[in-house]
């Protein structure tokens, strides 16, 4: 007989999306680790249910810097992390070439550096060592630059430098990475339930795991799903999640998944101001970067201990100011650029005492909670996006050992959906009469599936029209995503095809996308409007911390005009450092 957290709250088979009654493994969390694990296990023939309480990639994965790099700074005291990340980056690039893009970095060495005149030489030697791992991630060896070469390479850069070094890194579209892992897992039999929260874990009286209770958005009650194994991939939420199994009074208490969550903020500017990403220091000496991303520039990132609500993340004025000051000091071109948003996430860093946040190890750990009296319960904590695949592989190996499954990992050699035989930009331009930028973005998002998306465009009225002036998102791409890419809410399109991510915050594209969404889902006008409001609210949440003065007033006016009577009172709520409408107009 299983003990349950809230037996009264569980009604088997209550309304909601169909979920299997029993599986081999329940995975908590749809970030890179959870979706990577779901794919790995499904390819080995294991029956999986993944529950994600929001959209895929809504946690740290989707708010990360998106670099599948080696992290040169870990080389000093965490060489295994550098090696793992570089090796896995190479595999990820091979299975998802369409999602990956090169990011050439410059690291200028200021004259005023801690090593004095030897600073440049020491950086050169350091990167000689990093170069040993660079081929693993298909990178080019570093180059040492004189001050003249440095400024010629990046004319917008200011400062007094001994010279600099280059390094070659890779970025990835993380939202789509999580999606493609989930879609491939589904294609191999997994059940992926988004907007579905794991509310409790069920155990036998002897402590053994027998399943979990899940609740879909909008449902009042949870349903039980049986499984002999539950894996906690809940990111920064993992420590709280690992406290869930109550067992008997005697078994309760230990939790070996201990974290030290670290909040990280990025600022997003509307346009690029450099061709290279630039590594520099903030005023407290911490390393940050200014990076071109698509048409934009990102400054990232902060790293501060975080004790607040993981489900209510905002960038503060201090964080915005801290990053702005550091970025503008090296690339003053940023001063004339418009800030259009923030990305805020919380790292699931493994607990450590007595260290500054950014010196904490980025190693990962597979915790077998048998040691806490809960056999069959595991947590995958810590680590990097850059090594998500190998982390998932090791986790899957442990699960398979427990289940007696002998199949081995295939995720390093099987391409993700769309990841082989990519069309060329010219082919798509010729066949569908579309613009080069549209073709390039479609290939980057869909790879070899891009022609199918465009065929849908030819088959539907206005299907090849660009919806969003800030991102060449086509009407057919929205329709494709709504049909095939696990879209529950209109706001999910922000990570599927960058809807509403530009400077107009979704004013132009949002309305038209809402109409397509409503048409596909047969929604009434009120629901369509509510979905549009939700999209704008999500976008506004990212932008509100960086808007000030006339820009904020203009934005509020736009919102009011656009929505008639825009009812997002919770966004106006007074919060520290974030004046509501009344405060501004008062
Ligand atoms: C600002 C920042 C920048 C970073 N940059 C990089 C980088 O450039 N390169 C790199 O390699 N790494 C980077 N990282 C680290 C990297 O993002 C993380 O290591 C990785 O994304 C963690 O993935 P995850 O799947 O474990 O966690 P997450 O992505 O956080 O996923 C956990 C998921 O669990 C869900 N969840 C929680 N509780 C429940 C529940 N009860 N029921 C159902 N679902 C639940 C959450 O909604 C969430 O989606 C960065 C992290 C941050 C915060």
């Amino acid at each position: 007989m299983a003990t349950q957290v809230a037996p009264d709250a569980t009604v088997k088979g209550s309304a909601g999306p169909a979920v299997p009654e029993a599986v081999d493994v329940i995975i908590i969390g749809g970030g890179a680790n959870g979706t990577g694990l779901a794919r790995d296990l499904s390819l080995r023939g294991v029956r999986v249910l993944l529950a994600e309480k929001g959209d895929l990639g809504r946690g740290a994965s989707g708010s990360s810097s998106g670099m599948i790099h080696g992290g040169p700074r870990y080389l000093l005291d965490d060489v295994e992390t550098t090696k793992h990340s570089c090796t896995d980056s190479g595999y990820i690039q091979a299975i998802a070439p369409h999602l990956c893009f090169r990011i050439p970095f410059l690291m200028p060495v200021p004259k005023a550096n801690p090593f004095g005149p030897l600073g440049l030489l020491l950086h050169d030697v350091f990167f000689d060592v990093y170069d040993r791992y660079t081929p693993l991630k298909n990178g080019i060896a570093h180059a040492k630059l004189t001050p003249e070469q440095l400024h010629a390479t990046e004319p917008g850069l200011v400062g007094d430098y001994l010279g600099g070094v280059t390094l070659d890194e890779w970025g990835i579209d993380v939202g789509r990475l999580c999606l493609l892992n989930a879609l491939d897992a589904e294609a191999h039999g997994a059940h992926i339930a988004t907007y579905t929260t794991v509310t409790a874990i069920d155990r036998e009286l002897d402590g053994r795991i027998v399943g979990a209770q899940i609740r879909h958005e909008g449902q009042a009650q949870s349903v039980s799903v049986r499984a002999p194994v539950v894996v906690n991939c809940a990111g920064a939420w993992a420590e709280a999640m690992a406290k869930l199994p109550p067992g008997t009074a005697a078994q309760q208490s230990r939790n070996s998944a201990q974290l030290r969550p670290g909040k990280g903020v990025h600022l997003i500017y509307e346009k690029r101001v450099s061709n290279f990403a630039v590594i520099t220091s903030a005023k407290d000496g911490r390393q940050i970067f200014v990076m071109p991303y698509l048409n934009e520039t990102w400054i990232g990132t902060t790293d501060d201990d975080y004790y607040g609500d993981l489900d209510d993340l905002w960038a503060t004025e201090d964080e915005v100011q801290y990053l702005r000051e550091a970025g503008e000091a090296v690339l003053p071109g940023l001063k004339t650029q418009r800030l259009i948003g923030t990305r805020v996430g919380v790292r699931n860093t493994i607990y450590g005492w007595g260290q500054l946040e950014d010196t904490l190890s980025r190693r990962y750990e597979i915790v077998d909670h048998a040691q806490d009296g809960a056999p069959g319960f595991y947590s995958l904590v810590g680590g990097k996006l850059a090594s998500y695949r190998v982390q998932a592989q090791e986790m899957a190996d442990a699960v398979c050992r427990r289940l007696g499954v002998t199949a081995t990992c295939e995720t390093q050699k099987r391409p993700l959906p769309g990841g082989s035989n990519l069309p060329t930009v010219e082919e798509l331009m010729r066949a569908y009469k579309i613009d080069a930028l549209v073709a390039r973005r479609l290939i980057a998002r869909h790879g070899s599936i891009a022609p199918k998306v465009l065929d849908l465009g030819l088959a539907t009225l206005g299907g090849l029209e660009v919806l969003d002036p800030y991102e060449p998102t086509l009407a057919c791409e929205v329709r494709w995503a709504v049909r095939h890419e696990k879209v529950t809410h209109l706001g999910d399109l922000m990570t599927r095809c960058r809807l509403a991510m530009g400077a107009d915050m979704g004013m132009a594209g949002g309305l038209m996308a809402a109409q397509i969404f409503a048409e596909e889902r047969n929604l009434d006008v009120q629901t369509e409007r509510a979905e549009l409001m939700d999209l704008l609210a999500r976008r506004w949440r990212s932008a509100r911390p960086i808007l000030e003065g006339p820009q904020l007033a203009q934005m509020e006016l736009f919102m009011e005009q656009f929505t008639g009577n825009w009812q997002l009172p919770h966004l106006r709520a007074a919060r520290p450092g974030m004046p509501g409408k009344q405060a501004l107009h008062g």
Side-chain angles (χ1 to χ4, degrees):
M1 170 73 192
T3 57
Q4 297 179 341
V5 176
D8 294 346
T10 305
V11 177
K12 279 200 163 190
S14 67
V19 287
E21 280 187 12
V23 290
D24 300 317
V25 181
I26 295 170
I27 298 171
I28 310 167
N33 284 326
T35 56
L37 178 62
R39 177 180 193 233
D40 191 322
L41 288 170
S42 307
L43 287 171
R44 301 189 204 204
V46 176
R47 292 176 309 151
V48 168
L49 165 70
L50 181 150
E52 161 55 55
K53 67 178 176 178
D55 187 22
L56 299 166
R58 66 151 288 208
S61 302
S63 44
S64 71
S65 316
M67 281 189 259
I68 46 170
H69 59 164
R73 70 196 168 92
Y74 311 128
L75 203 55
L76 290 172
D77 46 20
D78 208 355
V79 69
E80 272 308 297
T81 295
T82 302
K83 192 173 163 195
H84 260 98
S85 303
C86 288
T87 311
D88 220 33
S89 173
Y91 285 131
I92 297 165
Q93 289 171 43
I95 62 172
H98 53 316
L99 301 185
C100 298
F101 48 92
R102 189 156 237 138
I103 315 177
F105 270 87
L106 282 181
M107 189 178 218
V109 180
K111 282 192 177 151
N113 75 85
F115 309 104
L118 287 179
L120 184 59
L121 178 69
L122 290 176
H123 275 77
D124 192 26
V125 172
F126 177 83
F127 281 100
D128 269 341
V129 180
Y130 189 53
D131 283 346
R132 290 187 202 157
Y133 302 96
T134 299
L136 296 170
K137 58 179 172 67
N138 304 314
I140 300 167
H142 85 281
K144 187 172 88 169
L145 305 179
T146 62
E148 295 71 32
Q149 289 168 328
L150 182 67
H151 288 291
T153 307
E154 196 48 76
L157 185 73
V158 298
D160 217 359
Y161 300 109
L162 292 175
V165 289
T166 63
L167 55 152
D168 189 32
E169 301 290 6
W170 287 83
I172 192 163
D173 181 336
V174 193
R176 291 200 66 85
L177 176 70
C178 295
L179 171 73
L180 296 189
N181 272 304
L183 289 180
D184 204 39
E186 250 184 2
H188 292 89
H191 192 98
I192 308 288
T194 54
Y195 294 93
T196 302
T197 304
V198 173
T199 52
I201 296 172
D202 295 339
R203 301 167 70 185
E204 289 287 354
L205 284 172
D206 63 5
R208 205 160 26 94
I209 295 297
V210 291
Q213 297 175 43
I214 62 172
R215 191 180 61 234
H216 190 72
E217 180 185 68
Q219 280 186 299
Q221 295 166 324
S222 301
V223 293
S224 283
V225 179
R226 294 194 309 279
V229 173
V230 174
V231 186
N232 174 13
C233 293
W237 294 261
E239 182 172 339
M241 202 68 227
K243 285 183 189 141
L244 268 180
T248 62
Q251 290 157 353
Q252 179 61 20
S253 75
R254 285 190 46 207
N255 177 4
S256 305
Q258 286 198 305
L259 300 180
R260 193 170 144 189
K263 183 181 175 196
V265 173
H266 294 87
L267 304 185
I268 303 172
Y269 288 76
E270 184 185 357
K271 294 193 181 132
R272 279 178 173 232
V273 296
S274 64
N275 292 315
F276 282 72
V278 175
I279 299 174
T280 182
S281 298
K283 74 171 171 197
D284 57 358
R286 276 194 65 251
Q287 215 173 64
I288 60 132
F289 60 81
V290 184
M291 173 172 89
Y293 180 86
L294 300 176
N295 307 335
E296 303 162 351
T297 299
W298 291 10
I299 308 184
T301 155
T302 59
D303 189 351
D304 294 304
D305 282 322
Y306 185 69
Y307 302 94
D309 182 351
L310 292 170
D311 293 298
D312 188 23
L313 296 176
W314 294 80
T316 65
E317 271 178 25
D318 284 357
E319 288 161 337
V320 172
Q321 212 41 48
Y322 170 85
L323 289 173
R324 271 185 100 152
E325 191 179 290
E328 289 172 3
V330 283
L331 287 165
L334 285 169
K335 288 182 189 165
T336 54
Q337 288 303 317
R338 181 149 60 145
L339 268 169
I340 60 166
T342 56
R343 284 163 73 89
V344 190
V346 178
R347 299 173 179 84
N348 62 348
T349 330
I350 291 173
Y351 186 81
W353 178 266
Q355 282 171 272
L356 291 175
E357 297 91 327
D358 57 357
T359 63
L360 287 170
S361 167
R362 268 26 177 190
R363 71 189 164 85
Y364 60 92
E365 214 172 275
I366 287 166
V367 181
D368 181 346
H369 292 281
Q371 61 187 307
D372 302 330
F377 185 39
Y378 298 87
S379 293
L380 170 52
V381 289
K384 301 278 299 164
L385 168 73
S387 49
Y388 90 87
R389 197 211 56 81
V390 69
Q391 292 165 191
Q393 176 179 346
E394 279 184 33
M395 187 67 255
D397 287 345
V399 168
C400 286
R401 276 195 297 278
R402 179 161 186 91
L403 294 173
V405 173
T406 52
T408 53
C409 178
E410 303 214 339
T411 58
Q412 74 282 36
K413 49 187 182 211
R414 287 219 207 177
L416 280 160
S420 57
N421 305 318
L422 308 193
T424 64
V425 170
E426 292 69 28
E427 278 164 6
L428 294 191
M429 287 172 68
R430 240 190 339 268
Y432 297 93
K433 311 274 176 286
I434 53 172
D435 197 76
L437 182 60
V438 172
R440 200 166 298 130
R441 290 290 170 82
L442 273 170
I443 295 169
R445 288 198 271 263
H446 299 277
S448 59
I449 297 167
K452 287 192 184 160
V453 179
L454 290 164
D455 287 342
L456 177 64
L458 290 178
T460 44
L461 193 65
L464 294 185
E465 267 174 39
V466 173
L467 290 189
D468 192 328
Y470 287 91
E471 176 68 29
T473 306
L474 299 180
C476 59
E477 203 182 351
V478 166
R479 202 176 289 279
W480 178 272
V482 174
R483 285 189 190 176
H484 303 290
E485 295 189 338
K486 303 199 70 61
V487 169
T488 303
H489 293 293
L490 188 67
D492 301 346
L493 291 166
M494 291 167 78
T495 54
R496 301 300 186 277
C497 50
R498 289 181 51 79
L499 179 74
M501 299 302 283
D504 77 338
M505 321 260 165
M507 296 294 162
L511 191 57
M512 286 190 277
Q515 283 165 4
I516 295 172
F517 183 63
E519 194 183 304
E520 286 290 319
R521 294 282 157 88
N522 205 14
L523 303 179
D524 58 35
V525 175
Q526 281 78 15
T527 316
E528 178 186 337
R529 187 179 163 79
E531 287 291 340
L532 181 58
M533 290 300 132
D534 175 61
L535 168 81
L536 296 178
R538 288 194 203 189
R539 183 63 183 91
W540 178 248
R541 192 179 178 83
S542 133
R544 176 63 189 86
I546 42 90
L547 298 182
E548 54 189 11
Q551 201 186 350
L552 175 62
Q554 188 193 30
M555 206 63 221
E556 289 200 321
L557 191 65
F558 266 146
M559 287 288 210
E560 195 127 359
Q561 279 187 336
F562 182 67
T563 63
N565 168 26
W566 88 292
Q567 292 166 345
L568 300 170
H570 58 290
L571 294 174
R572 292 186 189 150
R575 37 178 78 245
M578 211 164 284
K581 190 180 181 188
Q582 265 154 16
L584 272 158
H585 294 264

